[in-house]
Amino acid sequence: MVDLERTRDLFMVAAIFGVFGFAWAGWAQEDPPPRARALLGVLAGASLLVGAAGGYLAWRHWDDPSALSGAEDGIHFGIIVGIETAVSLIGSAVLAVIGHGRRIAAWVSLVVGLHFIPLVLLFDNLTLLAPAVAMVTSAALAWRSSRTPPSAVTGLVNAPVLLLTAAANLALALA
């Protein structure tokens, strides 16, 4: 279930997820396994390119239909993102204060992954389930990891899934 009539939303998913794929690949560069550095660089570059293409096309198609065309839809979106942001910041601050700052990437991945679930319904876009599952899974893996830094675990899982989701939405909008 993907509403193909809402091309602006599909382009925006490509833009936002491309940029966030870039960000997760960058965060993973904090202390990645040496063999993963080149892959993270490729993921970052490709994500940024897809994000830029999505952003440009969203701007060009700004008057196309959107799930956020109604005032209530925008308010619902704002509430979802506001809660996500507040929970991420508060949890990150608590982790830093109690000496678990390295686990912030796992915490943020969990919260962001969970926030995609209501967005699937708001945007009528099942492609958002892939990053939801991946980010919650990477958070669990990163939280338990003792050998690989949590930021590397989350970045190595989240960046490619966000890139693929961005590219899929870009392709759906262009089809």
Side-chain angles (χ1 to χ4, degrees):
M1 142 178 111
V2 175
D3 189 342
L4 298 176
E5 299 296 317
R6 295 179 182 161
T7 52
R8 182 178 96 184
D9 293 347
L10 297 171
F11 287 135
M12 285 301 297
V13 169
I16 293 166
F17 283 45
V19 169
F20 284 127
F22 171 79
W24 279 101
W27 198 350
Q29 290 285 358
E30 172 189 14
D31 188 20
R35 66 187 184 284
R37 291 181 183 145
L39 172 61
L40 289 168
V42 170
L43 286 168
S47 294
L48 196 55
L49 289 173
V50 171
Y56 171 75
L57 291 166
W59 172 69
R60 296 288 305 196
H61 290 265
W62 199 254
D63 293 328
D64 288 3
S66 171
L68 301 180
S69 294
E72 282 188 29
D73 297 322
I75 291 169
H76 292 138
F77 178 74
I79 290 169
I80 293 166
V81 172
I83 291 169
E84 171 218 8
T85 303
V87 171
S88 290
L89 290 172
I90 291 167
S92 296
V94 168
L95 287 169
V97 167
I98 65 172
H100 291 284
R102 286 180 56 92
R103 290 191 167 162
I104 290 173
W107 174 252
V108 171
S109 185
L110 173 67
V111 174
V112 172
L114 291 173
H115 110 285
F116 286 136
I117 296 169
L119 294 182
V120 168
L121 302 172
L122 180 63
F123 288 100
D124 193 19
N125 188 338
L126 280 176
T127 69
L128 303 182
L129 284 178
V133 170
M135 294 182 87
V136 169
T137 301
S138 77
L141 293 171
W143 199 270
R144 297 179 52 89
S145 177
S146 59
R147 292 185 305 159
T148 305
S151 61
V153 173
T154 55
L156 286 165
V157 174
N158 298 348
V161 173
L162 290 166
L163 171 59
L164 290 172
T165 304
N169 277 267
L170 186 62
L172 287 168
L174 292 170

